[in-house]
Amino acid sequence: MKYELVEWSPKILVGLPNIDAQHRQLFDLAATFAGDGDQIRVLKSLAILTEYVKVHLREEEQMMAACHYPGLEAHRQLHTEFRRMLFTLLENAKQMTLDEIADEVKFLINGWFYNHILVADFDYVPSVKAAAATPTP
Ligand SMILES: [Fe+2]
Ligand SMILES: [Fe+2]
């Protein structure tokens, strides 16, 4: 699937500071792949990116489960797909040129992930806010 490649912008703020900070961090990290670099540094950045993504997706899934978001299963599947794409890149990166790696990171973060935030992440926000507004007994 093809996505338009988009830089981080306030358009993708979901209004949950913790989540927004994590999203921003992933875009900032992805931006470091463009331009010059050496293989070792790029592979390290890729490992860090994968780790941050894992942490973010896990926290989001815990948050959605905690507020009984009805779309949790479908959202989880999207996360699984994203993790799989990232792990594939991580596995293949040693045989790829730095430009190829940078292109793939762009596709994953500035394409897939951007679109995921706009469509899937925005969808859970009302459930999270409703749960936060309900006093716990
Ligand atoms: Fe997210
Ligand atoms: Fe998500």
Side-chain angles (χ1 to χ4, degrees):
M1 184 157 174
K2 277 231 160 227
Y3 294 102
E4 194 190 336
L5 300 179
V6 198
E7 298 304 326
W8 185 93
S9 83
K11 256 197 214 166
I12 56 169
L13 288 170
V14 300
L16 305 166
N18 182 37
I19 295 294
D20 283 328
Q22 291 179 355
H23 287 164
R24 181 85 199 244
Q25 199 175 28
L26 288 168
F27 277 84
D28 286 349
L29 200 55
T32 67
F33 284 83
D36 300 331
D38 62 89
Q39 191 83 16
I40 294 179
R41 193 186 59 82
V42 167
L43 291 178
K44 249 190 203 160
S45 302
L46 201 54
I48 294 169
L49 181 72
T50 306
E51 196 50 43
Y52 282 10
V53 165
K54 267 165 61 183
V55 170
H56 170 63
L57 301 184
R58 190 170 55 223
E59 283 189 19
E60 232 176 50
E61 286 168 19
Q62 284 167 353
M63 181 183 72
M64 289 186 285
C67 72
H68 307 292
Y69 169 57
L72 174 64
E73 257 333 293
H75 200 123
R76 247 198 198 128
Q77 277 172 28
L78 293 172
H79 284 180
T80 300
E81 186 194 330
F82 191 49
R83 270 187 292 253
R84 195 161 45 219
M85 289 190 291
L86 253 173
F87 288 139
T88 303
L89 172 59
L90 199 56
E91 262 174 30
N92 298 339
K94 278 196 189 110
Q95 288 87 45
M96 293 165 70
T97 67
L98 297 182
D99 281 348
E100 286 169 344
I101 296 173
D103 280 354
E104 188 61 18
V105 168
K106 261 210 160 292
F107 164 78
L108 288 172
I109 301 296
N110 302 83
W112 195 98
F113 192 60
Y114 185 96
N115 186 69
H116 175 79
I117 294 169
L118 271 188
V119 178
D121 285 0
F122 269 84
D123 194 67
Y124 67 58
V125 173
S127 297
V128 175
K129 288 192 169 162
T134 312
T136 40

